[in-house]
Amino acid sequence: MATRDLSQSIMRRKPIDDIEEENKHSGLHKSLGLWQLTAIGVGGIIGVGIFSLAGLVAHGSETEPGVGPAVLVSFLIAGLASAAAALSYAEFAGMIPRAGSAYTYGYVALGEIIGWFIGWDLLLEYIAIVAVVAIGISGYFDAFLSGIGIHMPVWMTSTPDEGTGGIINLPAILVCLLVTWILSRGTKTFGRFELIAVGIKVLLILFIIGLGIFYVNTNNYNPFFPSGFGPVVAGSATVFFAVFGYDAMSTAAEEATDGKKHMPKAIILSLVIAMLLYVAATLVLTGMQNFTEIDPKAGFASAFNSVGLPVIATIISVFAVLSILTVMLTFLLGVTRVWFSMSRDGLLPGWFSKTDRHGTPQRVTWIAGLGAAILAGILPIKAVADLTNIGILAAFVVVCVSVIVFRYKKPDAPRTFRLPLMPLVPAFGVFASLFLMFQLHWETWLRFGVWLVIGLIIYFTYGRKNSLMNPDSPRHEEIVEMHRPLT
């Protein structure tokens, strides 16, 4: 009997009707339209993936051979896997416009323990993404200063693991704190900044492609697969980081003016725009400079330096810093909204779900920002990127499975978007995500496993008891308050 009760409690599902009531009492401000949502999605997708990881995977590292021009194929493999998940996200976003993204979808379709698993996973992964991007910005900032004759001490621009005599990545820490401050000003301010910054980012990439194409040397494309196809597939697991920003954007659904209508469109638009730019940019990068000479931290800056355009390289470094900031903002927004949603559901203390006059959960915003600053200051970029990718891929598996289950359990639920070829598309998303997960190093799996074990301990000692879905929850009176008519 005890085992049965435990099974029923951890598999309880959140009703969609409760979500509609929660949205009315959330404290979050509805201020994001279609183009602001699309900008947040593009802002989250295009950034360190193209400005740093493209060069890293093409050039290679001490543990991974460079894939050269075939980095384009790595992006396409990652993009194909991501597209299947994107369609699944779009269907859910059109039904459930709620803060929480994959956490909420898993909770509604598969049960509380699955929702907890993916929510706890996303807390670490989104913070890690902010850290990765901060490290990428630090590399371009260092390249910019070097371009104007200023050389920062090595001890303050790299970590001990890089073997260059570094102690701490101070620029990465400072940029994490800057982005946290911007997001703490409120969603309306953040949305305006994001729209402008993403516009600048897209113009910068178009400028890079338009100018760089005149300096492409086709000899640099030979051989196209210098290390064979295996490393290209492994590289796709790393650059996967560059193709999933839309999932963090979906955490802002509660702050959209018309989430059910605009969220599916924004998810698909943002991924299509990003992939078109990725294909063109990677061709230019590996065509301008031999992959063995590309700077893995500041690829495009080194490419333009190699063709005798140091001024352009400096300009790229300046604007790359600004454009990559949008990725940090998108994912910091994501982690705070997932954290907020888990707290509101009772799985984490209610202290975290308090909002201020801007409609911003300030407490989790600053905690997450400080956590990202610590990771960015002490860990190398690849270790953090791989940790991020395994978590997001796990989220994609859950969302793709959830959309299949929910389509058959609730076929008549109102949907503003229905993904095609059900269940083939989400099933492919599951297969592709699992395949990419198994390309990652065992140390990444170990770190991931340790984090999940910590999460399970917290769930069974606090979350399961305090969940608002538990009739005996100490916080159960919040449900009564939630359903009380607004005055």
Side-chain angles (χ1 to χ4, degrees), residues 34-55:
L34 173 61
W35 293 111
Q36 285 173 311
L37 290 168
T38 303
I40 293 171
V42 173
I45 298 172
I46 299 177
V48 72
I50 194 167
F51 287 112
S52 292
L53 291 182

Side-chain angles (χ1 to χ4, degrees), residues 281-305:
T282 51
L283 280 172
V284 168
L285 173 65
T286 54
M288 289 180 67
Q289 187 176 24
N290 187 278
F291 76 94
T292 59
E293 299 170 358
I294 293 174
D295 181 352
K297 281 190 174 182
F300 284 101
S302 72
F304 279 95
N305 270 321

Side-chain angles (χ1 to χ4, degrees), residues 144-168:
F144 162 68
L145 292 180
S146 298
I148 60 176
I150 300 175
H151 300 280
M152 297 177 68
V154 174
W155 69 266
M156 64 183 293
T157 58
S158 58
T159 58
D161 305 70
E162 296 180 55
T164 57
I167 298 176
I168 193 170

Side-chain angles (χ1 to χ4, degrees), residues 19 56 178 182 248 282 288 315 337 351 359 363 380 414 424 432 434:
I19 291 175
L56 173 67
L178 170 63
I182 293 173
T282 51
M288 289 180 67
I315 293 173
R337 275 33 177 192
W351 184 84
R363 294 165 178 172
L424 294 180
L434 288 173

